[in-house]
Amino acid sequence: MHNQRKEQRIGSQIHIFIELTARSADALQEGEVLRCDTMNLSPEGLGIIADKALFTGSILQIGAELVSEAPPLFMAAEVAWCAAIHKEKAFLAGLHLLPASDSDQLQWYEHINHQIQKSKLP
Amino acid sequence: MLPQILESFAPGSANHPATAGLYLTDTKLLDYCARYTQVDEFPLDAISQQCDDVGETLGPSPEHSAVLCWLGIALQYWEQHYPLESDIANKLRQLRPLLTLCAVTNDTFLIPGAHPLHQLMDALQARAVGWQPQLGRAGQTLERLIDELITQSQSWMNAITASDDSTAALPPIEALQALTEKVLAACEKDRARVQRMVQRVVESNQGRIKASQARRVSAQFINQIATPVALPLTVIEFLHGPWYNSLQLIVLKHGSESDAWQEVCSISQKVVDSVIEETASENNSADSIRQRVFEAATELPQQLKRWLLSLQHDNEATDDAVGLVEMAHLKLMKQQQLERRQPAALPVEAAAINMLAESDIPPHITEMNLGDWFELQTDSGQQRVQLALNLPEEQQLLFVNQAGIKTVTTTYRDFLREYHAGAANKLANLDSLSTSLAWAAGIIDQNSYNKAAQSAKNSLQSEQESGQSNAGNTYTTPDNNEEQQAKEKAKQKALEEQQAKVEAEKKALEEQQAREEAEKKALEEQQAREEAEKKILEQQAREEAERSFVEPPSDSNLDDNLQSGYLSDFNAIDDSFNTPALKLDIHLPMGSWLGFHDSETPMLARLAVHDPVEDHYIFVNREGIKLRELAGTALAALVEEDMVDIIETRSSFRDMLRKRGR
């Protein structure tokens, strides 16, 4: 699953917002947003530690806060796996970023690749 | 054998009809044999004493004297080299008259191992070697058996003394044979009964020793990886508790050389490595440390659960145990403080200590066989014990008594010390009387005895086959031995050739199988290549077809084609071949809500992803669960057909993110 890596990962910690539940179409029901931290990052995905379980296979909108002042990057991600640890006190999950027409995935891709190149420098 | 005995014990003499009157007649000799009551005396001495007592002027003939002398020396050798407890040895002396009687009347007796009484005495000694008075009831079976034999022997002796024709009253060979078979069967039954007891003792001790070994191996391993480093307290609790117990079970179940053991060793090391206290440095950034913890936290729990054999029956306990490691991982990932200390070493049992180096183990230990008997000096006195278990890896020996009860457990080192001090002696018990008779006739080593016994057996067999009755007088010459050996060699060679042939056939078969396997693999690879090429071609064809639909012909029947493009299955992807290419001229941002009413049940779905490259739309519900996938053309067709309502084109989530940036 998460071991079959195609891309190099870096262990950066950034804040991530995940839209667990969207606001209803009639706006009568509010959505739920989860804030969590990353454990590793790659151009195509990220590993997170969260306080709530994510449904494997679901497609969620996420925001990745690369820089605190700037708006988080808006992307779509599929939950590749999610595992409870320590009796569901926390959850580890792997998110796979999906190419989406109006997302900020390109910025993410460039930023992470840049970080990877930097980490390789002596 | 007779010439050999005569040559050894009455050299230069031979019976001659002219001198027959100078010696006791056969009848008289038999009578004296039957009245042989001073059983502590050897046969010739006892008969000579009787002759003196009654003023007999004649004595046994040279031939009989030689046989009696030979038997006496053999019995002396037997008692010295195959010693039994005095109570049993004294009882067995009561059988000397019967042995003497048979020695002077039956030529078969002169071939060691051939006469039924030889086999009977061999079996009795083999069984009695472990007899001791303290066995109590457990030893009474043997005593009763010997008593019955003595009674039978005495009744035959009484019949001879009471008869006018003592030769007619001799016990027939068939009766001796039947008696021997009865004794052999009784000994075998007793042996089998004791063997079952021994087996239980062995299994129980093997289990105990294996468990001890498992504890030792597991403790040594955990100490080796854990004691040098400061570990979180919860991880120490895990390693010293459920994991230690599970490692022991794995050693017991799979052995410490197994792949399973290698795997759990690797997992154990990963656990320690994942929680080890690391300081971020230039080459080991805090990020990379966190990443390693994250990877361990995602991989290890499943692996630990799989191998927590000690808690396999209890899922909750398994979760609790793994939770000890997860708690440490969680704190590390959240960069919280962890209480740490260097774990104390688990106690390692001392069995492994003080073992002899392999080169120091003497042959009398390495050559010991299970079932060998020994006389050991123990705290409770001299004990006759049988080796029941020898564990070379642990250098442990276990001895049982004749009742099959565990008596002594010792190590190679202790046994060696006792051996050198003369407190441990091996007790021989193989073919004891037969070997003694052979030795007394000048066959002094086991090899020569085996050869002589085999020759005698062969010649008896061949004579029986040819119907001859004088088997007892046959003496096998060395030439016969050589012939026999040559035959055996030829037989062995033929057997080896046969084995080589089978081996070659097996190898050829294996090679053939390997060839077939390789061919099969090549075929599969070829098929896979063809399959891949086919898929590429299909993909290319699809792309070509899609390109050709970009500008549909103006006269195409859109309705029909659109109809065929509708999906009855929410999760099915539209088939581009059946749908004329329309372009959706509305921009739908991620998060837009759409209402579909192209099926019986209208559906509200949110656009999760539009893949611009594939022009592919995925719609989900509020929780992100996939509801529908559509190609752009199919969606355009639905929109064109008014089957889709666009309800909301804004993403509240994106708005929230934008606000955050401001």
Side-chain angles (χ1 to χ4, degrees):
Chain A
M1 175 175 68
H2 42 285
N3 270 338
Q4 297 166 357
R5 53 181 58 173
K6 295 170 189 165
E7 303 263 348
Q8 193 178 341
R9 298 176 189 194
I10 50 172
S12 297
Q13 183 183 7
I14 59 169
H15 297 313
I16 295 287
F17 300 92
I18 299 175
E19 188 186 39
L20 270 189
T21 313
R23 192 172 69 178
S24 61
D26 53 11
L28 292 177
Q29 289 170 285
E30 275 306 312
E32 182 185 3
V33 176
L34 179 69
R35 185 181 183 278
C36 53
D37 290 332
T38 59
M39 296 305 298
N40 65 26
L41 313 171
S42 81
E44 299 212 332
L46 51 154
I48 59 159
I49 180 167
D51 296 332
K52 286 198 171 181
L54 305 183
F55 188 81
T56 303
S58 61
I59 297 172
L60 304 171
Q61 293 180 10
I62 68 167
E65 196 176 63
L66 291 180
V67 185
S68 57
E69 298 301 314
L73 301 184
F74 176 66
M75 293 178 288
E78 182 170 7
V79 181
W81 57 272
C82 181
I85 62 166
H86 196 33
K87 290 193 164 182
E88 305 195 345
K89 283 196 174 73
F91 297 85
L92 302 178
L95 306 183
H96 175 63
L97 298 173
L98 299 174
S101 56
D102 60 342
S103 79
D104 300 322
Q105 201 189 355
L106 188 61
Q107 282 168 264
W108 168 271
Y109 191 87
E110 285 168 355
H111 178 83
I112 301 302
N113 269 326
H114 179 66
Q115 293 294 319
I116 289 171
Q117 294 311 316
K118 254 174 62 178
S119 70
K120 284 182 184 169
L121 289 175
Chain B
M1 186 70 89
L2 185 59
Q4 210 165 352
I5 295 168
L6 280 175
E7 187 56 35
S8 299
F9 297 98
S13 65
N15 284 355
H16 193 277
T19 58
L22 301 174
Y23 307 114
L24 289 173
T25 61
D26 285 352
T27 313
K28 272 271 188 191
L29 179 64
L30 293 186
D31 194 51
Y32 282 123
C33 287
R35 293 176 195 281
Y36 178 178
T37 50
Q38 298 297 315
V39 291
D40 292 338
E41 300 289 339
F42 290 114
L44 185 58
D45 297 337
I47 289 168
S48 302
Q49 186 64 46
Q50 282 185 67
C51 290
D52 287 349
D53 289 349
V54 296
E56 179 70 72
T57 53
L58 304 178
S61 68
E63 186 181 304
H64 284 145
S65 296
V67 169
L68 292 171
C69 187
W70 164 69
L71 178 61
I73 288 173
L75 289 173
Q76 189 177 20
Y77 182 89
W78 184 62
E79 288 191 348
Q80 283 172 354
H81 288 82
Y82 301 91
L84 301 173
E85 281 284 338
S86 59
D87 290 359
I88 286 288
N90 289 338
K91 276 180 187 282
L92 288 176
R93 282 186 180 183
Q94 304 284 328
L95 296 174
R96 281 182 175 183
L98 183 61
L99 291 166
T100 307
L101 195 72
C102 291
V104 295
T105 57
N106 193 326
D107 287 345
T108 310
F109 195 93
L110 305 181
I111 303 170
H115 194 272
L117 281 188
H118 300 171
Q119 295 155 20
L120 182 146
M121 296 300 282
D122 288 346
L124 278 181
Q125 194 277 341
R127 197 74 212 117
V129 70
W131 187 91
Q132 286 191 289
Q134 53 265 43
L135 284 173
R137 283 185 61 190
Q140 284 172 4
T141 314
L142 181 68
E143 285 181 274
R144 275 199 297 273
L145 183 66
I146 296 172
D147 288 342
E148 281 174 28
L149 283 173
I150 293 168
T151 308
Q152 177 63 64
S153 169
Q154 280 168 350
S155 95
W156 277 327
M157 298 304 133
N158 293 340
I160 290 168
T161 51
S163 169
D164 293 336
D165 181 4
S166 49
T167 47
L170 281 172
I173 191 85
E174 293 77 17
L176 292 170
Q177 188 66 51
L179 187 66
T180 301
E181 280 167 12
K182 186 181 162 194
V183 169
L184 291 178
C187 288
E188 177 53 30
K189 190 178 166 192
D190 194 31
R191 193 200 61 76
R193 183 185 59 77
V194 172
Q195 189 53 41
R196 285 195 293 275
M197 300 275 289
V198 171
Q199 191 56 34
R200 277 199 285 274
V201 172
V202 165
E203 281 166 7
S204 142
N205 277 273
Q206 270 177 330
R208 188 182 55 76
I209 289 168
K210 276 188 177 174
S212 155
Q213 187 203 16
R215 268 197 302 279
R216 192 172 66 246
V217 170
S218 306
Q220 276 175 335
F221 173 71
I222 290 176
N223 289 345
Q224 180 196 323
I225 61 164
T227 49
V229 286
L231 296 175
L233 299 189
T234 55
V235 173
I236 296 173
E237 188 184 339
F238 171 78
L239 289 174
H240 283 191
W243 192 242
Y244 175 40
N245 295 336
S246 298
L247 291 191
Q248 290 173 52
L249 291 175
I250 289 158
V251 176
L252 282 174
K253 194 172 173 186
H254 303 281
S256 57
E257 303 292 325
S258 62
D259 290 345
W261 174 250
Q262 294 306 319
E263 191 176 341
V264 289
C265 285
S266 160
I267 293 169
S268 312
Q269 188 67 58
K270 280 185 197 164
V271 170
V272 171
D273 290 347
S274 68
V275 294
I276 211 161
E277 194 163 28
E278 288 185 276
T279 315
S281 64
E282 205 172 313
N283 296 327
N284 193 22
S285 67
D287 281 349
S288 63
I289 293 169
R290 286 181 71 250
Q291 192 182 350
R292 278 205 296 278
V293 176
F294 175 68
E295 283 168 7
T298 53
E299 288 171 15
L300 281 174
Q302 283 311 313
Q303 296 175 349
L304 294 175
K305 279 176 189 171
R306 184 181 164 214
W307 289 108
L308 267 170
L309 300 189
S310 62
L311 301 174
Q312 221 167 32
H313 56 286
D314 187 343
N315 288 341
E316 200 174 331
T318 304
D319 289 344
D320 285 345
V322 175
L324 294 169
V325 178
E326 288 178 327
M327 189 191 288
H329 284 153
L330 191 57
K331 286 191 171 182
L332 286 169
M333 285 187 286
K334 291 189 168 180
Q335 292 166 327
Q336 294 170 348
Q337 276 299 310
L338 271 171
E339 199 179 343
R340 294 170 178 272
R341 68 170 159 79
Q342 269 185 273
L346 285 165
V348 177
E349 289 179 27
I353 300 165
N354 216 13
M355 282 172 79
L356 290 174
E358 203 166 324
S359 56
D360 292 342
I361 303 171
H364 58 260
I365 288 185
T366 54
E367 289 166 10
M368 282 198 302
N369 294 312
L370 296 183
D372 283 354
W373 282 91
F374 295 86
E375 190 169 47
L376 302 182
Q377 182 64 48
T378 65
D379 295 340
S380 49
Q382 288 281 353
Q383 297 262 18
R384 284 173 171 258
V385 290
Q386 189 179 27
L387 179 63
L389 185 61
N390 180 359
L391 295 167
E393 276 182 32
E394 290 77 22
Q395 296 195 353
Q396 296 228 353
L397 299 168
L398 181 133
F399 296 93
V400 293
N401 68 9
Q402 198 180 29
I405 294 165
K406 184 176 100 173
T407 308
V408 180
T409 352
T410 187
T411 61
Y412 280 10
R413 183 176 289 281
D414 289 345
F415 183 80
L416 191 60
R417 193 180 55 240
E418 297 292 309
Y419 185 85
H420 287 317
N425 296 303
K426 191 173 175 185
L427 297 170
N429 71 331
L430 182 67
D431 298 335
S432 59
L433 184 68
S434 302
T435 308
S436 302
L437 291 169
W439 178 86
I443 300 169
I444 54 167
D445 59 70
Q446 188 67 38
N447 202 26
S448 313
Y449 166 72
N450 290 344
K451 278 184 189 171
Q454 187 59 41
S455 298
K457 203 174 164 187
N458 291 342
S459 84
L460 262 180
Q461 205 173 353
S462 62
E463 278 173 17
Q464 277 167 1
E465 281 166 8
S466 63
Q468 290 176 6
S469 57
N470 58 343
N473 286 329
T474 309
Y475 177 67
T476 309
T477 63
D479 289 346
N480 287 350
N481 269 343
E482 282 169 16
E483 196 182 318
Q484 181 64 24
Q485 282 173 353
K487 273 184 193 167
E488 281 176 9
K489 268 186 190 169
K491 200 173 163 188
Q492 180 68 23
K493 199 177 169 192
L495 192 67
E496 282 170 3
E497 282 171 3
Q498 177 69 16
Q499 279 173 343
K501 202 174 158 191
V502 170
E503 214 44 54
E505 281 172 6
K506 193 178 159 195
K507 201 175 169 188
L509 190 66
E510 281 171 0
E511 283 170 2
Q512 173 70 16
Q513 281 173 342
R515 268 198 303 278
E516 285 173 6
E517 198 64 37
E519 280 168 13
K520 192 178 160 197
K521 203 174 169 189
L523 190 66
E524 282 171 1
E525 283 171 1
Q526 173 69 17
Q527 282 172 343
R529 268 198 303 276
E530 286 172 6
E531 195 66 32
E533 281 168 9
K534 194 178 157 195
K535 275 186 183 166
I536 290 167
L537 285 173
E538 282 173 4
Q539 176 70 21
Q540 284 171 347
R542 258 200 305 275
E543 285 169 7
E544 191 60 38
E546 281 174 10
R547 276 196 295 277
S548 68
F549 276 121
V550 170
E551 294 297 329
S554 57
D555 59 346
S556 62
N557 188 341
L558 279 180
D559 287 352
D560 289 351
N561 286 314
L562 282 171
Q563 205 64 41
S564 63
Y566 294 158
L567 293 176
S568 55
D569 182 353
F570 287 156
N571 287 322
I573 301 173
D574 292 359
D575 189 341
S576 308
F577 286 108
N578 298 329
T579 311
L582 285 176
K583 256 193 157 177
L584 194 64
D585 53 4
I586 314 156
H587 171 64
L588 286 176
M590 267 163 50
S592 299
W593 281 101
L594 274 71
F596 291 89
H597 39 88
D598 54 322
S599 59
E600 276 184 20
T601 315
M603 181 176 64
L604 201 57
R606 203 162 69 104
L607 176 61
V609 171
H610 171 230
D611 181 344
V613 180
E614 301 288 331
D615 191 21
H616 181 76
Y617 291 82
I618 300 174
F619 293 92
V620 296
N621 67 7
R622 283 183 72 208
E623 282 78 30
I625 309 301
K626 211 180 282 182
L627 294 179
R628 188 163 195 178
E629 292 185 53
L630 282 169
T633 49
L635 181 61
L638 286 176
V639 172
E640 187 76 17
E641 276 288 291
D642 245 359
M643 294 289 183
V644 176
D645 296 329
I646 298 166
I647 297 165
E648 167 76 88
T649 55
R650 285 181 62 193
S651 163
S652 59
F653 178 66
R654 189 163 204 176
D655 291 345
M656 185 275 283
L657 293 180
R658 282 189 185 125
K659 277 180 197 161
R660 238 193 114 68
R662 282 202 293 273

